[in-house]
Structures are given as structure tokens and as C-alpha cells.
Amino acid sequence: MTHKPGDLPSLTVNCLLRELGGVTMVLTGTAHFSAVVPFDAAFIQPILSREKMGFSVFCFLFEGVEKMMGQQISAGISRTVQTRLVLPPDTNHMGTIFGGTVLAYIDEIAAITAMKHSGKVVVTASIDTVNFLSSARIGNVLILEGVVISTGRTSMEVYVKAECQDIETRERTLTTTAILTMVAVDANSKPTPVPGVIPETEKEKKLFENAQARKERRMKLNEFAKELV
């Protein structure tokens, strides 16, 4: 059956636009960040005209890409834990670990976590939130845990928490929490699609649900940052 752009029903779907193989495609958004746009004749007709394809061909391509983008994997796949001993070179004159050292550890585990989720090389796009709640001291064991909590088309939000453990008492104290945005890149250092994520724990589910609010806050901060340039 042959279809014309005018035959398209007016629907609303979560979708994103990107260039894939030189053809502009409409991708069903697997991420919490997907934008809602009208999927109707006015929206699709310019794409069909520019790419010189019929509606049937477009639907075939769209279905294939939709399946590809619809992949989701459990947050447990990316979950990463690292353990470090706090040594004298890691600390300041008060015997507590440098904040910059903790940040370096957080950035490293976030990258590993994101690579495990995406199966791609990643770069740090932003460190969105860092909370220093307490300090680790010389001789403490620092335990870091990272997990992907939400995804965009090519980006991943990674939640990292750091706890310090006293060797003698074995008591653990939460020292730092952070959320970072990592972007997967291909061999040409171009952003590349990543799978969606399925949260496991109640904490992860709550962070997943609030992903849109965090995105909006990042956008506002980015606008503010432009004013400082």
C-alpha cells in the first residue's frame, strides 16, 4: 500500500532527531530526557521531501532504528566498586584527604561505570553535583561505588558515592556524593548512542524519576556559565 505524507495520522510520541547515515531519522526516546513533538504530516513531510523517500520506506527505517534505540539494560551491569587506602600523600596538613583527590577518584569510577554500561569510550561532560559530607583520614579505607542512573541519546548520568571505613571499628561513614554526566564517543570522537537503563534499587528509581528536573537545572546553569565567558 502506498502512503502520502498527508495520510499520516496525528500522533504524539517521545522522539529525538539525529543524523544517522546521512538520513534524518526520528528516534523513539529511550531516555527520560526525550522531547514530546507532534508526529504528523507537517512534521514528517520535509524529511520525506529532502531525503526523496516514500512514507513506506521511512516507516521501515524508523522501525529498525526504534528497535535499536529501544535497548535497555539493568543498572547492575554498570555498577562499579573501588577500594582505596588513604595514604599521607593523599592528605592535607590536617591529615584529611584532599578534595581534589576525591574528585579524581570520582571521575575515574564514573568513567569506568559509563563504559561498562555503554560498551564505548566516554568523556566527562560535566560534574553536576558534588557534596563533601565528611572527611577521610590517613589510614581509612575509601570505598567508592558508581552506577548509571539515567541516560540520554548519547549521555549517561552516573551517581557516585564515597564512604570511608575505620580499620579498627569497621564503621562506615558517607563522605561524598556526586552526579556526573558522561558522553559515549565513537572512534572519531563523535557522540554515539547508548542503551537505556533500568534502575534496580529504590534510591536509583528515585534518581531516575528526577532526571528531567536535573536536566532542566543543568540547562539553566549552562546559560549562567555563558554569561561568565
Side-chain angles (χ1 to χ4, degrees):
M1 180 176 179
T2 303
H3 295 273
K4 303 186 298 295
D7 296 332
L8 280 167
S10 180
L11 302 174
T12 300
V13 294
N14 285 331
C15 64
L16 297 170
L17 290 178
R18 71 178 288 252
E19 293 295 324
L20 185 65
V23 179
T24 303
M25 305 304 299
V26 180
L27 306 184
T28 296
T30 59
H32 203 67
F33 298 164
S34 301
V36 176
V37 301
F39 184 68
D40 55 21
F43 176 74
I44 203 70
Q45 190 166 6
I47 298 175
L48 301 184
S49 298
R50 187 175 73 245
E51 305 303 336
K52 297 181 175 59
M53 70 171 74
F55 179 57
S56 297
V57 175
F58 175 86
C59 287
F60 173 78
L61 293 173
F62 173 77
E63 182 180 6
V65 176
E66 183 180 24
K67 289 179 179 179
M68 178 187 72
M69 292 299 294
Q71 297 176 356
Q72 291 185 318
I73 60 177
S74 171
I77 299 296
S78 69
R79 197 180 312 279
T80 305
V81 177
Q82 289 183 338
T83 303
R84 298 177 180 271
L85 180 64
V86 180
L87 299 172
D90 305 322
T91 61
N92 57 32
H93 62 287
M94 296 182 290
T96 59
I97 193 167
F98 286 115
T101 300
V102 177
L103 280 176
Y105 294 161
I106 287 173
D107 188 42
E108 179 183 73
I109 193 171
I112 294 171
T113 300
M115 286 190 285
K116 287 169 64 176
H117 178 85
S118 64
K120 304 289 183 180
V121 174
V122 302
V123 295
T124 305
S126 63
I127 299 178
D128 305 316
T129 303
V130 180
N131 299 298
F132 293 102
L133 307 174
S134 61
S135 298
R137 306 188 68 84
I138 295 175
N140 286 160
V141 173
L142 196 64
I143 303 161
L144 299 100
E145 180 179 343
V147 64
V148 171
I149 55 172
S150 73
T151 62
R153 184 178 67 82
T154 62
S155 64
M156 295 153 283
E157 272 193 314
V158 180
Y159 172 74
V160 179
K161 69 175 182 179
E163 298 177 313
C164 70
Q165 181 175 25
D166 185 277
I167 294 296
E168 295 182 358
T169 66
R170 298 181 181 176
E171 181 181 356
R172 284 195 183 189
T173 304
L174 183 63
T175 64
T176 313
T177 60
I179 294 178
L180 302 85
T181 299
M182 316 298 289
V183 174
V185 296
D186 59 20
N188 297 314
S189 298
K190 300 296 184 182
T192 188
V194 300
V197 65
I198 303 171
E200 292 184 339
T201 68
E202 290 303 315
K203 174 75 171 179
E204 291 162 12
K205 290 176 182 177
K206 185 175 181 180
L207 289 168
F208 179 84
E209 291 170 358
N210 295 330
Q212 182 63 31
R214 291 193 301 274
K215 180 190 177 185
E216 292 173 359
R217 184 181 65 181
R218 273 196 303 272
M219 293 174 66
K220 290 180 181 178
L221 289 174
N222 288 339
E223 288 300 317
F224 176 74
K226 292 178 182 178
E227 297 176 2
L228 302 178
V229 176

